[in-house]
Amino acid sequence: MAQLFTERNNMREPIAKTSIMAKDVYILIIRCCEKYFVNLARKFPDFCPDDERIICGVDISQLYTILRHRIPNLFCNQYSADSLIPSGIDEFDQFAALDLIEFVAQNMLTVNKYDYHSFFRHDHIRFSESSEDFVSFQKDINSIFDMTGLQYKLTDNKIIERITDADTLIEEAKIIDSKIIEPGVQELLHEAISLYQKAKPSDYHLATEKIWDALERLKTIYVTHEIDKKQSSEMIIKNISQGITEFEQLFNEEFLALTKIGNNFRIRHHELGKIDIPSNDLYDYFFNRCLSLIILTIKSL
């Protein structure tokens, strides 16, 4: 989307970032998806009355029947023949809208109009495996996210991921992935990142738990019959510190601090008495802090 005058000249207040979808944004997203319903016509075809071999559009009734089962919360218990947005909408499920984006993205084909049927006033259409229409849909959806500050993106893999403050760290973790010589650490790290990038808030706790598990397993990387976990951690700290006493003290304190956080807060343990984490911002802080130390540790191995 081209920048406007005040955007080009830094005269705008920064857009507030959020993971909460407002009603008007929900409507924008649904309308955008509806614009691309014709790209689903191969799966849900409406045929020309003159020739039932020729597709002329999408059968909305058939599509809605599938959507009511695949994404039941999308309908808010009501809809019209023309739109998923009922008049006077007051309740909606933002995650149902994200489901709809993925449903359209994963089922769409590029549409080619090849004949206009003047009597019925419709086009006859064919389909191709080209990604042209998906790229257009992806651009439209991500423009809505960018414009409204919603911290999501439709990826090239046709799934919705959360945009986070840890994105740079996550990309770095992917780059050094080949340096992770212990498969258990690699598996936990992959699982933590996958959960963290999901749009569902309940996954953030699981992501934080997994990233802590990855750190605890990483601390045992040098364990043998002769070397225990404490000694393995000391060897890791010496690697990171590069022989500098002040950094050795710093990272010794950081490892201890993260161990206490994992034990005292409801991250790795769920007994009564553990401190609950009340907001996603705090989960972001804990996740980023732990991931940063893991990346530094892996680089030093």
Side-chain angles (χ1 to χ4, degrees):
M1 185 180 294
Q3 287 189 321
L4 300 177
F5 176 85
T6 55
E7 293 169 322
R8 292 195 309 274
N9 291 279
N10 299 317
M11 298 168 66
R12 291 274 187 100
E13 290 293 325
I15 297 171
K17 301 300 181 182
T18 181
S19 58
I20 306 300
M21 190 182 296
K23 181 173 73 172
D24 60 340
V25 179
Y26 175 85
I27 293 173
L28 273 178
I29 288 171
I30 300 299
R31 296 288 190 226
C32 181
C33 289
E34 289 177 335
K35 187 175 74 172
Y36 287 89
F37 277 176
V38 68
N39 294 89
L40 308 178
R42 169 73 69 80
K43 283 200 168 188
F44 310 100
D46 185 23
F47 294 103
C48 177
D50 278 354
D51 189 337
E52 292 189 356
R53 296 170 300 176
I54 297 176
I55 298 175
C56 61
V58 62
D59 184 335
I60 290 295
S61 177
Q62 186 185 166
L63 172 60
Y64 280 11
T65 298
I66 296 298
L67 287 176
R68 288 185 69 181
H69 292 281
R70 292 286 285 121
I71 318 174
N73 288 347
L74 180 65
F75 287 83
C76 307
N77 297 319
Q78 56 182 328
Y79 64 94
S80 69
D82 300 320
S83 176
L84 292 170
I85 301 293
S87 59
I89 181 175
D90 53 6
E91 293 184 9
F92 62 92
D93 182 339
Q94 74 172 54
F95 300 112
L98 300 183
D99 276 347
L100 181 63
I101 293 170
E102 289 191 357
F103 181 89
V104 173
Q106 293 166 15
N107 289 283
M108 70 189 307
L109 294 171
T110 293
V111 168
N112 299 302
K113 300 176 181 178
Y114 68 92
D115 183 34
Y116 179 69
H117 195 156
S118 58
F119 182 81
F120 290 108
R121 297 182 180 179
H122 63 221
D123 291 298
H124 295 166
I125 56 179
R126 295 192 182 104
F127 306 90
S128 75
E129 300 293 336
S130 159
S131 61
E132 181 181 349
D133 284 3
F134 167 70
V135 170
S136 176
F137 178 62
Q138 181 187 37
K139 183 178 179 181
D140 286 350
I141 289 294
N142 286 337
S143 291
I144 293 173
F145 289 153
D146 291 341
M147 177 179 65
T148 60
L150 266 178
Q151 293 181 292
Y152 303 114
K153 61 184 175 184
L154 176 58
T155 71
D156 293 343
N157 294 326
K158 302 183 179 181
I159 62 173
I160 296 292
E161 287 186 353
R162 190 167 66 111
I163 296 174
T164 73
D165 293 335
D167 277 4
T168 301
L169 284 175
I170 287 171
E171 289 306 310
E172 192 168 1
K174 292 176 180 177
I175 291 170
I176 65 170
D177 182 79
S178 60
K179 295 185 178 181
I180 305 175
I181 57 176
E182 206 285 309
V185 173
Q186 190 176 53
E187 181 180 349
L188 286 166
L189 189 57
H190 286 179
E191 191 171 356
I193 288 173
S194 176
L195 286 165
Y196 189 70
Q197 289 184 308
K198 289 184 177 179
K200 191 176 178 183
S202 60
D203 287 329
Y204 307 164
H205 167 259
L206 293 174
T208 308
E209 179 180 329
K210 293 296 180 184
I211 202 71
W212 242 264
D213 289 344
L215 178 64
E216 290 301 318
R217 189 174 181 98
L218 186 58
K219 285 157 67 173
T220 68
I221 198 77
Y222 293 122
V223 167
T224 64
H225 291 300
E226 294 79 25
I227 300 173
D228 62 19
K229 183 176 180 180
K230 183 175 184 298
Q231 291 170 313
S232 177
S233 296
E234 290 171 352
M235 293 170 69
I236 288 172
I237 290 169
K238 286 185 181 296
N239 289 344
I240 299 173
S241 303
Q242 301 178 38
I244 302 172
T245 303
E246 290 81 1
F247 281 106
E248 190 169 331
Q249 180 180 347
L250 171 69
F251 287 113
N252 186 58
E253 292 173 355
E254 181 67 355
F255 271 98
L256 286 173
L258 289 179
T259 298
K260 289 180 180 178
I261 290 170
N263 290 337
N264 295 336
F265 291 83
R266 199 165 69 85
I267 293 175
R268 301 185 68 232
H269 305 286
H270 307 282
E271 302 93 335
L272 291 173
K274 300 301 177 184
I275 303 169
D276 284 330
I277 300 172
S279 74
N280 292 331
D281 289 339
L282 290 173
Y283 276 123
D284 285 341
Y285 165 73
F286 286 136
F287 187 93
N288 294 349
R289 182 172 173 179
C290 191
L291 178 60
S292 181
L293 186 58
I294 287 173
I295 290 172
L296 192 61
T297 299
I298 291 170
K299 284 181 174 180
S300 73
L301 293 176

